[in-house]
Amino acid sequence: MNKKNSVFAARTLIALAVASAFPLHGAYAAAGADAADQAASSSADSATKGQLETVIVTAQRRAENIKDVPMSIATLKGDKLDVLTSGAADIRFLAGRSPSVNVESDYGRTFPRFYIRGLGNTDFDLNASQPVGLVMDDIVQENAMLKGFPVFDVDQVEVLRGPQGTLFGRNSPAGVIKFDSAKPVFKQEGYLTLGIGNYSAKTAEGAFNIPVSDTVALRFSGTTQHRDNRVHNTNPNPNTGTKDFEGYGDNAFRLQALIQPSKDFSALLNYHERDYHGSATLFRANIIKKGTNDLVDGFDYGSYPSDGVNYQRLSTKGGNIRLKYNLDDITLHSITGYETLKFNSRADVDGGFGASYAPPYGPGFIPFAVETADLLPNHKQFSQELRAESNYKGPLQWIGGLFFFNENIQIDSISFNTFAPGNPQNPQYAQQFQDAKSWAAFGSLNYTVSDQFKLRGGLRYTSDKKEFKAMRVEPPKIAGPFNINNTSHNLSWDLSGTYELDKSTNLFGRVATGYRAPSMQGRLNGLGDKPSFAGAEKALSFEAGIKQDLFEKRARLSASVFQYTVKDKQLTAGSGGINMNQLINADKVTGQGVEVDFQANLGEGFSATLGGSYNDTEIKDKNLFVQYCGNLGNTAPNPYGCTPTNAAGPFAGTSKIDGNPLPRAPKTQLNFTLKYSTDIGNGEFYAYTDWTYRSSYNFFLYEAPEYKAKTLVEGGARVGYKWSKYEVAAFARNITDKRVLIGAIDFDNLTGMLNEPRTIGATFKVNF
């Protein structure tokens, strides 16, 4: 750990240690909203009756019972969230934990890519947009590097499936994943959790909440996570000092201040930082058996030979101010957010050592050496929302507001031709500059037609403007700059309704549109390359479902069916022979499926959850084709590459993709949890297990047996004992140690990436 990171981690730990020195009293209660306070009280009452607690969500920008919201929603909180994040799991723990949700990354713990109902984006460029919005503490996190912020001291996670453009905007035609941090409250409380695990993992997480006065409360929370390298490099490069792989240090904190001088006005201030350092994702060459998706015989997870430089560094800083003012009949909101980050990642993309023209090389055949670095030396994001909402009694309620967004990015993509004859180390690079501005006006109406029937409708007008410039530098030659300026406009809308069939059962229906602004890319691998452009995509979605309390509120069921069409769907195609993305538009993409969520208190100390989804997606464009894997020089097929199975395209080395499913979109996903708890002595013993299943999916737009993920079943467990203010627990993630391909590099050789191996450990927690 370098000096800067040591200071950062020490600062976080010292603050947590200081927090633990104060004797605190009282249990945590949600801050601010009357509805949330009522839910906490209701939950406490329900617990004594064996009933499920009432779930309050803010999917429609108001605190509401999840049963009354006419859309498909899932939540994660409490014990389940604690279990899933055991062992310092990063945000990819959400994959498969909610119906129709997948999360993956080619960058490891940074740059997560989200998918809902099959809709996502496989683009690995640093200005890639995603059709799944991520909102953290009411601030949209547009750049993917902001979306991997560690999950700690979080009150609740909400997954909103289907287009969310009316109230959330900013490129969310697939849905929104919404994180709400635990907020300051006017009581002293806190916790400190220490953990250890295999691979010399060490973690600390804690929060300290203190009322400074009757009108001001502070909450500090933080986490520090460290793991040693777990893959030994058997062929280090003496010139570059290549080290082992897959270790990291990840430190983050959040400081919040709640100022509430009266019951009518509150100001919530939030400042947060993250400092991450570790190795980049390990790409392993020739680990896939040709013609299959099996790992090669004798594969060893714990060792791998490489001569490339491998590291990753990310620092983020941000702050936001949320103001709320209650008038007699109207509540006013102002939400101001600012985020900035710096990122530097370098990896050996060819996945081995040497090359065919610079022996020795391996493992297997290395057609050419590829080592790249991607940097974000400059990034700034500013957002401002002004919103008013009615709070009077009556059948008609409304929300209206304005939104402004501005993001500035500079991206440097560097290629190191380490083995080029006569040119041992000559970095070449492409630069991209993007200035994205957006403003929107939005509103919604809720009308209570009768005690049983409620309607909601919403509109949002959005204007997006992007100014993009890219250039390629190969000293002394320069290509560009290439300039692309685009302005687009869109009107999104939705209409939904809830019908109360009886006191325990609600039916709902929803039709909604979604929109994603145009995208540009300019990695520019060579002097002859030009930036690619994809026009705006627009979605139309239909869904209907049921939400039902069962067995006197001891169980809860939510089920929905959906169908959507996306016109001019933005897709990312590989270039076939070089490490470069190409943006394209498909005429149309369709999807349909079903989602089910079930929770139950089973009695005798047992409780369970069960979820599942089926997503059938299809690309519909008879004229669309892409280059496929390892097409050397874009002309001759690579005998060491994959074996595509789609119909051949109009040019050599291309495949048609009409009729293919979307990439990284498993058709079937299931999740299951079971908890048992009982009183022993002066405390509570509990055991918790969770399991997920997902079917296979394509890594890329074209189909090839090598690049089709296997079905995967993963399980976790946590066993612990709580007494007084303390808790001890042991945990395991991926307890069967299943190891399969979850991604690949498709332009060189059969290079793959693997899922996380088994993780085991123990934690000790003290509550104050």
Side-chain angles (χ1 to χ4, degrees):
M1 186 180 291
N2 61 35
K3 181 178 181 181
K4 176 184 176 183
N5 293 317
S6 298
V7 171
F8 189 101
R11 183 171 60 187
T12 302
L13 286 172
I14 289 171
L16 294 177
V18 171
S20 67
F22 287 84
L24 305 180
H25 306 280
Y28 174 74
D34 292 339
D37 291 336
Q38 293 168 7
S41 176
S42 173
S43 298
D45 294 340
S46 296
T48 63
K49 305 173 185 176
Q51 296 180 341
L52 294 172
E53 67 175 32
T54 300
V55 177
I56 300 298
V57 296
T58 54
Q60 297 186 132
R61 311 305 293 269
R62 296 176 183 270
E64 299 174 284
N65 188 328
I66 191 172
K67 182 183 169 187
D68 298 327
V69 180
M71 70 174 72
S72 298
I73 311 175
T75 62
L76 290 171
K77 63 183 300 182
D79 290 344
K80 187 172 183 179
L81 195 57
D82 290 341
V83 170
L84 297 178
T85 55
S86 294
D90 64 87
I91 204 168
R92 288 174 293 173
F93 78 84
L94 287 171
R97 304 299 174 177
S98 177
S100 297
V101 173
N102 191 26
V103 192
E104 50 85 20
S105 173
D106 287 352
Y107 284 78
R109 294 174 70 89
T110 59
F111 203 144
R113 299 187 294 211
F114 295 84
Y115 305 76
I116 293 180
R117 293 177 173 173
L119 295 172
N121 186 5
T122 60
D123 195 341
F124 56 79
D125 283 295
L126 301 187
N127 66 329
S129 69
Q130 296 182 353
V132 177
L134 189 137
V135 176
M136 188 169 292
D137 293 330
D138 289 332
I139 304 298
V140 62
Q141 308 292 304
E142 180 70 7
N143 189 274
M145 294 301 165
L146 296 172
K147 298 181 179 182
F149 196 83
V151 179
F152 61 93
D153 199 29
V154 167
D155 181 41
Q156 181 166 274
V157 182
E158 298 177 21
V159 178
L160 318 180
R161 299 185 285 258
Q164 303 297 322
T166 301
L167 290 177
F168 289 97
R170 284 314 305 159
N171 302 325
S172 58
V176 163
I177 299 179
K178 186 173 179 291
F179 288 80
D180 291 307
S181 301
K183 299 174 180 61
V185 293
F186 289 96
K187 62 177 65 178
Q188 292 187 119
E189 64 176 25
Y191 70 91
L192 176 64
T193 302
L194 303 175
I196 58 173
N198 55 343
Y199 306 112
S200 300
K202 304 174 186 66
T203 63
E205 177 187 325
F208 173 48
N209 189 101
I210 184 170
V212 178
S213 68
D214 292 340
T215 60
V216 178
L218 299 177
R219 188 177 187 92
F220 175 86
S221 53
T223 182
T224 179
Q225 306 165 358
H226 174 84
R227 185 181 68 204
D228 285 351
N229 289 308
R230 60 188 180 191
V231 179
H232 175 58
N233 186 3
T234 60
N235 186 48
N237 187 331
N239 298 320
T240 58
T242 304
K243 299 179 180 180
D244 295 339
F245 309 104
E246 297 198 350
Y248 66 84
D250 203 354
N251 310 292
F253 74 85
R254 183 187 304 114
L255 178 62
Q256 299 180 86
L258 175 62
I259 304 170
Q260 195 167 354
S262 71
K263 66 181 182 63
D264 294 323
F265 176 77
S266 67
L268 181 59
L269 287 70
N270 177 316
Y271 179 77
H272 47 272
E273 287 190 20
R274 181 189 187 189
D275 188 277
Y276 174 87
H277 65 281
S279 66
T281 296
L282 177 58
F283 306 125
R284 307 184 193 222
N286 298 301
I287 64 169
I288 310 171
K289 283 186 181 180
K290 190 173 179 65
T292 76
N293 56 0
D294 296 327
L295 296 174
V296 295
D297 296 334
F299 173 78
D300 179 12
Y301 181 90
S303 64
Y304 187 77
S306 175
D307 59 2
V309 178
N310 184 298
Y311 62 79
Q312 196 168 90
R313 302 186 185 103
L314 170 65
S315 63
T316 70
K317 298 179 182 180
N320 55 73
I321 301 174
R322 288 175 278 176
L323 306 178
K324 180 179 178 180
Y325 184 57
N326 290 317
L327 301 174
D328 289 339
D329 294 326
I330 298 174
T331 301
L332 304 177
H333 299 265
S334 171
I335 303 172
T336 307
Y338 180 80
E339 305 285 344
T340 183
L341 70 91
K342 293 184 182 295
F343 179 72
N344 186 347
S345 180
R346 180 170 174 177
D348 187 24
V349 186
D350 64 81
F353 61 91
S356 59
Y357 51 81
Y361 58 83
F365 184 67
I366 309 294
F368 43 84
V370 183
E371 188 174 339
T372 64
D374 289 318
L375 293 80
L376 267 174
N378 180 46
H379 169 275
K380 296 177 182 178
Q381 173 190 302
F382 173 80
S383 62
Q384 174 66 57
E385 178 177 309
L386 299 173
R387 188 174 81 248
E389 64 186 42
S390 63
N391 57 18
Y392 47 74
K393 295 182 179 180
L396 180 65
Q397 302 292 326
W398 54 266
I399 293 175
L402 298 172
F403 177 79
F404 175 76
F405 176 89
N406 186 25
E407 183 185 46
N408 299 100
I409 303 177
Q410 176 187 337
I411 304 170
D412 297 341
S413 297
I414 304 172
S415 57
F416 301 90
N417 296 328
T418 307
F419 297 104
N423 188 17
Q425 187 68 274
N426 182 24
Q428 303 165 351
Y429 63 93
Q431 282 192 312
Q432 303 177 59
F433 301 88
Q434 180 172 292
D435 182 10
K437 291 185 174 68
S438 177
W439 71 269
F442 61 91
S444 68
L445 294 176
N446 292 58
Y447 187 70
T448 301
V449 180
S450 67
D451 290 342
Q452 290 77 36
F453 186 39
K454 299 177 182 179
L455 284 174
R456 179 195 178 277
L459 288 173
R460 187 186 191 99
Y461 174 81
T462 302
S463 175
D464 281 292
K465 181 179 180 180
K466 285 187 178 180
E467 297 178 355
F468 179 84
K469 180 173 72 174
M471 59 188 297
R472 173 73 180 177
V473 179
E474 295 185 8
K477 299 179 180 179
I478 298 177
F482 303 96
N483 295 286
I484 303 176
N485 296 325
N486 181 269
T487 300
S488 62
H489 309 279
N490 182 71
L491 183 64
S492 298
W493 57 268
D494 63 64
L495 180 65
S496 58
T498 301
Y499 182 76
E500 184 183 280
L501 197 61
D502 56 48
K503 292 298 182 182
S504 299
T505 307
N506 283 355
L507 305 178
F508 73 89
R510 183 173 187 256
V511 56
T513 63
Y515 157 82
R516 182 153 64 116
S519 298
M520 300 86 169
Q521 291 295 358
R523 181 173 287 262
L524 306 183
N525 190 77
L527 292 173
D529 295 329
K530 295 182 179 180
S532 59
F533 171 85
E537 68 178 42
K538 297 182 179 181
L540 176 62
S541 170
F542 301 88
E543 65 180 77
I546 183 172
K547 298 183 181 183
Q548 188 172 31
D549 292 327
L550 303 168
F551 310 116
E552 297 182 347
K553 295 187 177 182
R554 296 174 185 269
R556 180 182 297 126
L557 172 69
S558 175
S560 60
V561 295
F562 64 87
Q563 190 278 334
Y564 65 77
T565 300
V566 184
K567 292 185 178 180
D568 298 319
K569 170 63 180 165
Q570 296 181 27
L571 299 173
T572 301
S575 59
I578 54 176
N579 186 30
M580 185 173 168
N581 283 326
Q582 294 288 321
L583 297 177
I584 56 177
N585 286 104
D587 282 347
K588 184 165 62 175
V589 165
T590 61
Q592 51 271 324
V594 60
E595 297 156 339
V596 177
D597 266 308
F598 178 77
Q599 305 164 262
N601 283 336
L602 304 176
E604 303 297 330
F606 285 95
S607 60
T609 68
L610 178 65
S613 59
Y614 177 81
N615 287 265
D616 180 24
T617 65
E618 185 178 357
I619 300 170
K620 295 185 176 182
D621 191 330
K622 295 185 180 300
N623 298 315
L624 195 59
F625 59 91
V626 298
Q627 293 182 331
Y628 59 76
C629 45
N631 188 31
L632 294 178
N634 297 325
T635 55
N638 180 3
Y640 304 95
C642 71
T643 49
T645 57
N646 289 129
F651 304 104
T654 64
S655 291
K656 293 184 177 180
I657 62 172
D658 180 56
N660 284 359
L662 289 170
R664 312 277 178 151
K667 275 194 174 183
T668 304
Q669 290 180 290
L670 300 172
N671 65 80
F672 169 75
T673 70
L674 179 65
K675 181 183 178 181
Y676 172 74
S677 63
T678 186
D679 293 337
I680 296 180
N682 295 321
E684 175 194 0
F685 167 81
Y686 67 88
Y688 194 110
T689 186
D690 61 285
W691 292 85
T692 63
Y693 164 85
R694 63 145 176 81
S695 58
S696 63
Y697 57 76
N698 292 334
F699 294 151
F700 307 111
L701 292 174
Y702 60 87
E703 294 191 324
E706 296 89 349
Y707 296 148
K708 194 174 187 68
K710 287 179 176 289
T711 59
L712 178 62
V713 176
E714 283 190 320
R718 183 181 176 99
V719 178
Y721 184 71
K722 300 178 181 179
W723 76 103
S724 184
K725 302 176 182 179
Y726 308 101
E727 177 183 354
V728 292
F731 66 86
R733 309 302 305 159
N734 188 11
I735 56 180
T736 60
D737 204 21
K738 189 75 174 288
R739 301 181 185 183
V740 298
L741 294 163
I742 58 170
I745 303 295
D746 71 333
F747 68 87
D748 194 343
N749 46 29
L750 296 176
T751 298
M753 293 163 274
L754 302 171
N755 63 322
E756 294 275 314
R758 178 166 50 217
T759 302
I760 59 174
T763 61
F764 171 75
K765 181 178 182 179
V766 56
N767 295 288
F768 309 104

